[in-house]
Amino acid sequence: MIDPSCKACTKTWPRADHFIADLGLSKAYLHDDQFFPGWTVIVLRHHATELFHLTSAERMQLMEDVTTIARVLLQVYDAKKINYELLGNQLPHIHWHIIPRLTNDPAPLEPVWRVPHEPILRPQSELQGEIRRIQDAFHTERYA
Ligand SMILES: [Zn+2]
């Protein structure tokens, strides 16, 4: 199902050039704001707003997708902890924020939303380098 008023359904968000991987039921993209390095979003392919709108099999698959990307990000960014956030207040279409929290994190006890900062929008060449690093680790993880 597609919602024509939804930014995720109409593919105006996330940016296509931030694409990391097709996970089957969902797709992973590097988040625009890289203040927290490696911040990634996993977006459900079809429109649904609540986990209980998914079938049990879809929910399990989505958790597998989230888990795979989290493991990859932990490895690529040598993260101390991974944060998982499913909010949907601004964009109800199910999407997970997967956020590596590093040892030099400016506010390790706070959720990222409570850390005031200017978004870090990295140049496309740098973003592509980051995306390639994540993709390489993803392929190693998936096909190991
Ligand atoms: Zn949608």
Side-chain angles (χ1 to χ4, degrees):
M1 184 186 118
I2 300 286
D3 176 344
S5 69
C6 169
K7 287 196 305 183
C9 286
T10 56
K11 302 193 186 318
T12 53
W13 181 90
R15 289 175 48 155
D17 56 2
H18 288 201
F19 173 76
I20 296 170
D22 189 337
L23 301 157
L25 187 64
S26 65
K27 291 181 175 183
Y29 298 84
L30 205 58
H31 188 46
D32 296 339
D33 178 9
Q34 286 294 297
F35 178 83
F36 293 93
W39 186 335
T40 295
V41 291
I42 295 176
V43 184
L44 192 67
R45 290 181 77 106
H46 66 275
H47 190 84
T49 61
E50 305 296 342
L51 289 173
F52 54 77
H53 291 156
L54 305 179
T55 66
S56 176
E58 288 173 331
R59 254 191 318 276
M60 284 191 279
Q61 179 60 52
L62 187 58
M63 282 317 299
E64 286 300 316
D65 295 351
V66 164
T67 302
T68 299
I69 291 298
R71 189 183 294 127
V72 165
L73 293 174
L74 183 91
Q75 177 197 329
V76 170
Y77 290 91
D78 194 22
K80 186 175 175 192
K81 180 71 185 80
I82 301 293
N83 285 172
Y84 309 81
E85 305 237 23
L86 176 65
L87 302 167
N89 304 44
Q90 294 182 23
L91 176 65
H93 185 124
I94 288 176
H95 63 283
W96 284 89
H97 292 266
I98 312 297
I99 309 151
R101 305 299 295 266
L102 312 186
T103 50
N104 65 353
D105 193 289
L109 301 182
E110 298 289 343
V112 293
W113 320 104
R114 293 187 51 184
V115 182
H117 66 272
E118 283 298 312
I120 293 186
L121 308 174
R122 299 180 66 185
Q124 195 56 30
S125 58
E126 286 181 23
L127 279 179
Q128 289 310 312
E130 290 303 303
I131 289 168
R132 258 193 308 278
R133 283 205 312 145
I134 300 168
Q135 286 172 332
D136 287 349
F138 172 74
H139 287 293
T140 302
E141 165 86 18
R142 174 156 277 190
Y143 303 112

